[in-house]
Amino acid sequence: MGFDVVVSKKSDAAIFEQGLASVPSDTACLPAKIVHGHVKDLQDKGVDRIFMPMMISQPTENRTIKGRSFCALIQGYPMVVDRSDEPMRRHSIAFDYPVFHWDTPALKQKQVVNWLIDNWGISRSTARAAFQQAEKADQSFNSRIREEGKALIKQIEASESFGVVLAGRPYHSDEFVNHNLSTFFTSLGIPVLTLDALPLEREDLKQTRLDTINSFHARVLSAAQYVAKHPK
């Protein structure tokens, strides 16, 4: 689409501390607090605009439940950041936080394409092509992770060793947030798998009494069931 993409640097103590002045409440979780430091880092890099969508829902990964919502902070925190950090008023940097309800693949494409057209003046053909290219890249990435996970599970089951599944929400993959936990295992020769590497869509969550409205919770519960069935 002709944009130069700039990303903030990796999370660390410095980037966490430089955003603390903008954190509106100490009750916010660590990943939410770090966001302010990343926004500050982008401002210092002189970007023209910052894109941080408000993600409300996504298609469920598990057909035995109806939960498809994100947690409340993910849903609303971009608006909080806009009010507390004020990128436009203080730095003349546009802060885009569109609201996305991705309940179905068709709705996902419609919302993204229409937003690009209405807000950034992208032509429909270009917006649609960009969306399809992004979807293809995402699917390829997820397929590769799943294949690597399948191969690793097969290797573990054929040996006398065991593996560790790190369960959490997507932002727990941030090394600063998870304290680089995976290296504690891999340094001992213990393989580590993420939730994305497991075939969790097959797990039946109908009998669980825990919350499955949040799609991230459902993913963790599915992983727990899968590991219980495959103790190695």
Side-chain angles (χ1 to χ4, degrees):
M1 293 188 293
F3 292 99
D4 292 324
V5 178
V6 178
V7 296
S8 56
K9 68 177 185 179
K10 293 180 64 174
S11 300
D12 55 24
I15 203 169
F16 169 65
E17 292 176 0
Q18 73 179 9
L20 284 179
S22 299
V23 177
S25 173
D26 194 50
T27 59
C29 62
L30 176 60
K33 292 176 180 176
I34 293 177
V35 168
H36 299 276
H38 284 284
V39 170
K40 177 66 166 54
D41 182 63
L42 290 173
Q43 291 171 350
D44 292 343
K45 290 179 177 178
V47 300
D48 299 309
R49 62 195 318 125
I50 297 173
F51 183 71
M52 187 181 178
M54 298 174 64
M55 303 303 303
I56 308 302
S57 57
Q58 67 176 359
T60 179
E61 298 174 331
N62 189 307
R63 296 181 180 180
T64 66
I65 61 170
K66 296 181 179 180
R68 58 185 59 183
S69 299
F70 290 95
C71 73
L73 272 176
I74 287 181
Q75 291 181 351
Y77 211 69
M79 184 180 291
V80 173
V81 172
D82 183 52
R83 299 296 189 274
S84 61
D85 295 57
E86 298 182 304
M88 175 56 79
R89 189 182 73 82
R90 298 180 184 180
H91 305 280
S92 298
I93 298 175
F95 190 76
D96 299 312
Y97 53 99
V99 179
F100 288 145
H101 297 261
W102 289 352
D103 295 308
T104 65
L107 184 59
K108 177 181 180 181
Q109 177 170 335
K110 179 181 179 180
Q111 289 184 350
V112 172
V113 170
N114 286 344
W115 191 88
L116 291 173
I117 294 171
D118 297 338
N119 294 272
W120 287 356
I122 306 298
S123 68
R124 181 168 296 277
S125 59
T126 299
R128 185 181 292 115
F131 176 85
Q132 293 172 349
Q133 184 176 354
E135 282 287 277
K136 184 177 179 180
D138 183 59
Q139 292 169 5
S140 176
F141 176 75
N142 289 325
S143 295
R144 181 179 177 184
I145 291 180
R146 184 64 67 85
E147 288 302 315
E148 292 287 345
K150 183 178 180 180
L152 185 54
I153 292 173
K154 185 176 181 180
Q155 177 184 331
I156 293 172
E157 292 178 338
S159 67
E160 295 299 324
S161 63
F162 65 93
V164 171
V165 173
L166 289 183
R169 301 182 181 187
Y171 43 75
H172 289 137
S173 61
D174 186 299
E175 294 177 356
F176 181 72
V177 174
N178 66 36
H179 303 288
N180 218 2
L181 180 61
S182 62
T183 61
F184 287 90
F185 298 106
T186 56
S187 64
L188 298 174
I190 302 173
V192 171
L193 296 101
T194 63
L195 301 185
D196 304 277
L198 305 177
L200 303 181
E201 67 280 354
R202 304 172 185 173
E203 296 302 318
D204 187 354
L205 296 180
K206 292 180 181 178
Q207 302 304 316
T208 182
R209 292 179 292 176
L210 299 179
D211 169 37
T212 56
I213 299 301
N214 188 315
S215 57
F216 295 158
H217 295 173
R219 181 184 289 183
V220 172
L221 289 171
S222 296
Q225 287 192 176
Y226 180 86
V227 171
K229 297 174 184 177
H230 302 81
K232 291 189 69 175

